[in-house]
Amino acid sequence: MGRALIVVDVQKDFCEGGSVPVKGGAGRAAAIADLVRDRADAYAYVVATRDHHIDPGPHFSARPDFRDSFPVHCVAGSEGGEFHPDFAPVVADGAVDEVFFKGARSASKSGFEGFTADGTPLADWLRARGVDDLDVVGIATDHCVRATALDGATAGFAVRVLLDYTAGVAADSTAMALEDLRGAGVALTGRPVVLA
């Protein structure tokens, strides 16, 4: 059995100064980078997901509801779509084994809707390497972290969310997300950062 760490959407647009900022996102980016550096031996693999929008349809809106639609963010090739500068070095140093791009033509909140550059889905990539257990961290607890963890559990992985390494958009939606995760059998450790 192998354990993998999934780092969800630690991108500039989701941190302070980005187009859809989550308060505390930059701090989580630095903490996640430290986690990857300090605990690499705890994981057989470390992977990261990236929003990579080309034409996501109604996911982009001039009048977003911040549930299904949002302002323009993480456009493929844009500065905002890049990894946060506190996290990017661990990717450049090779501490991240693979990057999964999601949302080219849809909302795609879950990392399990993502693909490698050669088109391999996340679940297939993990299974091909004997991964059974997942730790999930990243941004945002109540959106893409939630969706990734739930889809991982549905796909048959044993999933744990490390809340100390997540940032939530709002207290109420984060609380609902945690209830959803518990209900799906996802283990939760630590406490989420919610600074909204």
Side-chain angles (χ1 to χ4, degrees):
M1 293 191 306
R3 179 176 295 277
L5 177 67
I6 300 178
V7 179
V8 178
D9 299 356
V10 180
Q11 293 168 266
K12 291 181 179 180
D13 270 347
F14 297 135
C15 296
E16 293 86 345
S19 63
V20 190
V22 178
K23 290 181 182 178
R28 296 305 87 205
I32 291 167
D34 288 342
L35 173 68
V36 172
R37 289 187 190 102
D38 297 343
R39 295 192 49 203
D41 58 343
Y43 298 105
Y45 300 97
V46 177
V47 302
T49 69
R50 280 178 66 172
D51 255 15
H52 189 73
H53 296 307
I54 297 170
D55 181 14
H59 185 55
F60 285 174
S61 175
R63 293 184 167 183
D65 63 15
F66 294 95
R67 188 174 58 252
D68 298 311
S69 61
F70 294 85
V72 174
H73 62 277
C74 297
V75 172
S78 71
E79 182 72 13
E82 297 298 321
F83 287 120
H84 187 276
D86 287 338
F87 178 68
V90 298
V91 179
D93 290 346
V96 172
D97 297 293
E98 189 60 82
V99 176
F100 292 82
F101 299 89
K102 61 188 181 68
R105 303 195 184 279
S106 66
S108 294
K109 288 187 177 183
S110 170
F112 282 89
E113 297 174 277
F115 299 87
T116 61
D118 69 3
T120 304
L122 176 56
D124 291 353
W125 191 96
L126 294 168
R127 287 194 181 104
R129 287 156 180 81
V131 172
D132 297 303
D133 301 310
L134 304 176
D135 284 354
V136 181
V137 300
I139 306 170
T141 316
D142 36 354
H143 291 280
C144 296
V145 169
R146 171 191 173 277
T148 300
L150 289 175
D151 280 357
T154 298
F157 296 95
V159 182
R160 181 171 64 175
V161 175
L162 310 183
L163 295 173
D164 290 335
Y165 299 93
T166 68
V169 173
D172 57 347
S173 54
T174 297
M176 287 188 287
L178 300 186
E179 285 305 309
D180 291 344
L181 292 167
R182 287 187 191 100
V186 173
L188 304 174
T189 70
R191 297 178 63 182
V193 172
V194 181
L195 300 177

